[in-house]
Amino acid sequence: MINTYALLIGIVLFGGYGAYRVYKALNEKTHISQSQNLNLSQKQKAQDSKIEKRKPEPAYQLQTHNIKYWLYNPSYSFKSYGLIGLYNDLVVKNLWINEPFHSKFYEILMILDKNEFMIADPHSRVITMNVRGKDNQLTTSKSFQVFATRDIVVATFNNAMSDIVRFDKHDAQNIAIAMCVIALEQSLHYQSNEASLDTIKTILNGYAFTEDVHYISDLVKESDKQLQFVNKAYKIAFQTSSTYAYNDSEVPKALQLPIKLPQKVLKEA
């Protein structure tokens, strides 16, 4: 009986000691956790204080708008606002400043600006007039309506701009020059009734891609599927451009070609 009581007392004492050890261990763990939380809180406050005291680094924007390119000054070269706009919209906006295209296209625009190229209105009524001069000689002249070639060129590019730039850059640039050539081929230079073929040869003289330009020009005339937009743009240009009265008795003026191109200047695009 005594042994039984002794065994029970031993079990109680051992259990109580075990419970005390568990309580003590848990108490120490809680103290360590609180201490760690306190340290983390202090570190976080110190870090936040550093963030608040730290000055924000300045953000620098790329100065891409300050990049300058070697460009011509169309406002100085051209009287026609349409040609000024064409140079800016086609060449400057697309940064088509590679040579030989840049200078050749600008030269063509200068020729269009300095000369009164005209395209006869096929729907115009032709008025024939017989005039007898002081020497009693009878002269005959014809009056009819004409389009200014430069107006047709500008209007055509305005109608075809988005289609041109979809092509490979090299092809697109040659298409642009070919479009000018086609318009000039239809032009009457003052009193002449012949297309200005010599003028075309003079304009393209020395251009490295003359053969490509002529090939594209032929494709347009043959209504090539890829270039149908050119003929469509020409058609719209004639429908929307104004005509002017012209009499073939006017004294013809010499063709004006630029002796040299003006100097390029550094400008923002």
Side-chain angles (χ1 to χ4, degrees):
M1 187 71 175
I2 294 174
N3 291 335
T4 302
Y5 283 117
L7 179 61
L8 290 172
I9 292 170
I11 291 172
V12 171
L13 290 175
F14 181 77
Y17 177 74
Y20 170 75
R21 290 296 300 269
V22 170
Y23 169 77
K24 187 176 180 181
L26 289 173
N27 206 24
E28 288 179 353
K29 185 175 181 181
T30 300
H31 177 72
I32 291 171
S33 176
Q34 291 175 347
S35 177
Q36 287 176 341
N37 289 336
L38 178 62
N39 289 337
L40 287 173
S41 178
Q42 290 175 345
K43 288 180 180 179
Q44 184 66 39
K45 287 180 180 179
Q47 186 69 21
D48 291 342
S49 178
K50 288 180 181 179
I51 292 172
E52 290 176 3
K53 292 179 181 179
R54 186 186 303 157
K55 293 182 178 180
E57 296 182 2
Y60 298 99
Q61 294 183 346
L62 293 176
Q63 303 298 307
T64 52
H65 59 286
N66 288 330
I67 297 176
K68 293 186 176 182
Y69 304 91
W70 287 105
L71 302 169
Y72 291 108
N73 188 352
S75 298
Y76 176 79
S77 302
F78 305 145
K79 295 177 293 183
S80 167
Y81 290 110
L83 294 178
I84 293 172
L86 175 54
Y87 175 77
N88 289 327
D89 291 340
L90 185 70
V91 177
V92 179
K93 285 186 179 179
N94 293 303
L95 284 181
W96 282 3
I97 56 177
N98 55 293
E99 296 296 351
F101 168 80
H102 189 192
S103 292
K104 180 55 67 176
F105 189 73
Y106 197 78
E107 179 186 355
I108 292 173
L109 297 187
M110 287 185 69
I111 293 171
L112 284 168
D113 186 75
K114 294 182 181 299
N115 295 278
E116 296 295 332
F117 289 111
M118 297 161 288
I119 300 175
D121 181 358
H123 304 293
S124 172
R125 179 184 175 187
V126 179
I127 301 175
T128 303
M129 293 182 292
N130 295 319
V131 180
R132 192 175 298 277
K134 292 181 181 180
D135 55 0
N136 205 32
Q137 293 292 323
L138 188 67
T139 58
T140 301
S141 64
K142 294 180 180 180
S143 294
F144 48 92
Q145 296 295 112
V146 296
F147 294 96
T149 302
R150 71 172 70 94
D151 291 347
I152 294 298
V153 168
V154 170
T156 301
F157 274 99
N158 288 340
N159 294 323
M161 194 80 70
S162 58
D163 292 293
I164 297 171
V165 296
R166 290 175 185 168
F167 284 80
D168 168 80
K169 181 179 177 180
H170 174 77
D171 292 335
Q173 291 176 349
N174 287 327
I175 289 171
I177 292 181
M179 287 170 61
C180 295
V181 167
I182 292 170
L184 286 168
E185 285 177 345
Q186 298 180 55
S187 300
L188 308 176
H189 185 240
Y190 297 86
Q191 196 173 5
S192 173
N193 291 322
E194 297 178 2
S196 305
L197 297 178
D198 291 337
T199 303
I200 303 300
K201 292 178 182 178
T202 301
I203 291 173
L204 295 179
N205 183 39
Y207 186 58
F209 308 110
T210 297
E211 290 186 6
D212 293 342
V213 171
H214 285 307
Y215 177 68
I216 291 171
S217 178
D218 290 339
L219 288 178
V220 172
K221 294 171 186 175
E222 295 167 3
S223 299
D224 179 79
K225 187 175 181 180
Q226 283 188 299
L227 298 172
Q228 283 181 350
F229 71 90
V230 177
N231 287 322
K232 183 178 179 180
Y234 271 123
K235 184 177 180 180
I236 296 173
F238 282 109
Q239 291 172 345
T240 57
S241 298
S242 300
T243 58
Y244 307 89
Y246 171 75
N247 185 279
D248 63 5
S249 65
E250 294 179 17
V251 178
K253 298 177 183 178
L255 179 67
Q256 297 184 57
L257 297 174
I259 299 173
K260 64 178 181 178
L261 294 178
Q263 293 290 328
K264 295 176 184 176
V265 294
L266 277 173
K267 295 175 60 179
E268 293 179 12

